């Protein structure tokens, strides 16, 4: 099977971004609109796999040189998700494409690939065939627990969560979707205060980056805010439409008064209800794993479980490119 592989460059941007929504596991995080907001921060090594040279994409893989290395290439460090996105699920063909990609990377002097998957729950069709190949050619780097709700199926809030939501409503907490840039500015101020107070840290995105992403991903991101009866912003969540079926809570924040009033519970319940009434099928709450990729933030996990969430695994692998290029994938 012949695969025509080229480095990504600006001439392929439209083809790449048109291709992402047609693939099995493509998300907004794989789009060049999102990746290129990082500018020159990373040395891009993304690859395009063509059915015919320069004519029709059949796979794409967003990559960059791993920081402070010379022989390690990684699923793009600026994106939550990586892996190969393709419009084929056939495990033998996927293995063939990944083997060819590994050969190309070896020719460029790389020896190891840090590979981030996409949790299968976010794919158009459930597919974990890459895991089998990666477990044969590499080792698990981390396995983050990821919370989600299948809002196209039956789900139920816990009794404690329902009581908190009703209490917040009685206390006058209200919900609305933000429309003005000033709302994003106010939310970022709330987020900074929340993270500094509770974790002595700052958001991954500064205000300029948040506003830039809001514009780049227009129509594919939402900001929801919970207000007190006096108009004070109590809590908020910035959401990304990962794809046509999945809405993800990128950030959730509240102030002390909001925590007293149960504003986050009220906020998330409202967003879940609004999402369930739309075309989305999955509500994503992100990882519950600490920075080592192993220890679990059990309090965070329990909070999400009380909304009726399930749990998937977001796999990261260290892959030996020599093995991936030349190993037997197990297909006759």
């Amino acid at each position: 099977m012949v695969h025509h592989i080229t480095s990504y460059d600006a001439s392929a941007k439209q083809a790449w971004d048109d291709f992402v929504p047609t693939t099995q596991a493509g998300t907004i995080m794989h789009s060049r609109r999102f990746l290129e907001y990082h500018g020159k921060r990373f040395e891009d090594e993304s690859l395009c796999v063509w059915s015919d040279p320069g004519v029709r994409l059949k796979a794409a893989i967003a990559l960059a040189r791993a920081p402070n290395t010379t022989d390690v290439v990684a699923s793009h460090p600026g994106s939550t998700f990586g892996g190969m996105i393709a419009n084929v699920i056939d495990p033998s063909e996927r293995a063939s494409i990944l083997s060819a990609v590994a050969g190309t990377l070896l020719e460029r002097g790389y020896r190891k690939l840090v590979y981030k998957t996409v949790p299968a729950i976010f794919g158009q069709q459930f597919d974990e065939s890459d895991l089998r190949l990666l477990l044969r050619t590499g080792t698990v780097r981390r396995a983050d627990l990821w919370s989600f709700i299948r809002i196209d199926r039956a789900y139920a809030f816990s009794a404690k969560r329902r009581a908190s939501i009703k209490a917040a409503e009685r206390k006058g907490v209200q919900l609305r979707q933000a429309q003005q840039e000033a709302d994003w500015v106010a939310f970022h101020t709330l987020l900074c205060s929340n993270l500094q107070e509770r974790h002595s840290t700052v958001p991954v995105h500064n205000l300029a980056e948040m506003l830039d992403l809001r514009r780049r991903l227009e129509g594919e991101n939402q900001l929801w805010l919970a207000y007190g009866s006096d108009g004070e912003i109590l809590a908020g969540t910035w959401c990304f439409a990962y794809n046509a079926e999945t809405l993800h809570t990128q950030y959730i924040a509240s102030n002390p008064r909001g925590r007293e009033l149960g504003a986050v519970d009220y906020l998330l319940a409202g967003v879940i209800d609004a999402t369930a009434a739309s075309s989305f099928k999955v509500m994503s709450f992100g990882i519950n794993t600490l920075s080592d990729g192993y220890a679990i933030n059990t309090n965070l996990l329990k909070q999400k479980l009380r909304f009726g969430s399930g749990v998937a695994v977001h796999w990261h692998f260290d892959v030996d490119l020599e093995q991936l290029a030349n190993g037997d994938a197990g297909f006759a």
Side-chain angles (χ1 to χ4, degrees):
M1 191 177 296
V2 178
H3 307 294
H4 304 281
I5 300 176
T6 63
S7 296
Y8 169 81
D9 62 34
S11 67
K13 180 176 181 177
Q14 192 62 53
W16 183 296
D17 277 357
D18 288 345
F19 179 64
V20 170
T22 73
T23 63
Q24 153 56 17
T27 70
I28 194 69
M29 296 290 184
H30 293 96
S31 72
R32 302 315 303 193
R33 284 179 297 138
F34 174 79
L35 293 172
E36 291 177 6
Y37 105 92
H38 293 291
K40 302 292 186 180
R41 182 181 172 193
F42 302 107
E43 185 177 342
D44 197 277
E45 289 283 13
S46 300
L47 297 176
C48 300
V49 185
W50 307 87
S51 295
D52 301 296
V55 176
R56 184 169 63 86
L57 278 171
K58 66 178 176 182
I61 183 165
L63 300 168
R65 184 186 297 273
N68 304 315
T69 69
T70 58
D71 63 350
V72 180
V73 64
S75 290
H76 203 292
S79 174
T80 303
F81 302 132
M84 180 181 72
I85 56 171
N87 53 17
V88 295
I89 295 180
D90 181 345
S92 62
E93 185 172 357
R94 292 180 68 88
S96 175
I97 296 171
L98 282 169
S99 176
V101 165
T104 298
L105 293 172
L106 283 168
E107 291 172 359
R108 298 182 180 187
Y110 292 109
R111 308 304 302 174
K112 185 173 83 171
L113 166 64
V114 178
Y115 189 101
K116 294 183 286 192
T117 64
V118 179
I121 188 66
F122 302 147
Q124 295 182 35
Q125 183 65 266
F126 199 91
D127 175 30
E128 291 188 329
S129 59
D130 287 359
L131 295 182
R132 180 178 181 276
L133 183 63
L134 296 168
L135 287 167
R136 290 169 66 94
T137 59
T139 57
V140 175
R141 182 183 185 90
R142 60 186 296 153
D144 293 314
L145 287 187
W146 197 288
S147 291
F148 66 93
I149 299 175
R150 284 291 302 270
I151 54 178
D152 62 335
R153 305 284 179 86
Y155 63 90
F157 301 159
S158 70
K160 182 176 181 179
R161 192 65 74 212
R162 291 196 304 271
S164 176
I165 294 163
K166 289 180 180 178
E169 187 172 22
R170 287 196 305 271
K171 295 170 184 175
V173 178
Q174 303 170 41
L175 175 70
R176 74 171 175 84
Q177 187 174 351
Q179 301 296 331
Q180 306 299 321
E181 184 169 292
D183 292 324
W184 266 263
V185 175
F187 173 70
H188 194 270
T189 300
L190 173 68
L191 179 64
C192 289
S193 177
N194 189 139
L195 289 175
Q196 182 60 44
E197 175 192 347
R198 307 195 77 182
H199 305 290
S200 298
T201 187
V202 297
V204 172
H205 302 94
N206 62 35
L207 177 59
E209 290 170 337
M210 180 177 284
L211 295 177
D212 182 25
L213 276 174
R214 180 206 172 198
R215 289 186 289 268
R216 285 175 179 268
L217 307 182
E218 186 175 1
E220 295 172 290
N221 70 116
Q222 307 172 3
L223 177 62
W224 292 85
L225 299 170
Y227 288 84
S229 56
D230 58 357
E232 179 188 8
I233 297 177
L234 304 172
T237 181
W238 187 31
C239 301
F240 288 172
Y242 273 163
N243 52 35
E245 297 186 347
T246 304
L247 187 71
H248 170 70
T249 53
Q250 180 70 17
Y251 286 118
I252 302 171
S254 66
N255 62 18
R257 183 178 171 221
R259 290 190 284 276
E260 290 176 8
L261 296 177
V264 168
D265 288 348
Y266 186 83
L267 167 75
L268 293 179
V271 175
I272 291 168
D273 286 346
T275 304
S278 70
S279 60
F280 291 111
K281 296 181 180 179
V282 176
M283 185 81 194
S284 163
F285 286 131
I287 64 170
N288 309 281
T289 321
L290 300 182
S291 58
D292 65 356
Y294 176 75
I296 306 300
N297 185 333
T298 54
N299 288 334
L300 182 61
L301 176 59
K302 287 177 181 177
Q303 289 175 16
K304 296 173 183 178
L305 290 173
R306 290 182 183 129
F307 280 104
S309 70
V311 182
V313 176
H314 183 204
W315 298 94
H316 298 223
F317 291 89
D318 286 328
V319 181
D320 184 310
L321 285 169
E322 189 73 39
Q323 290 188 42
L324 183 58
N326 301 307
D328 180 6
F331 298 101

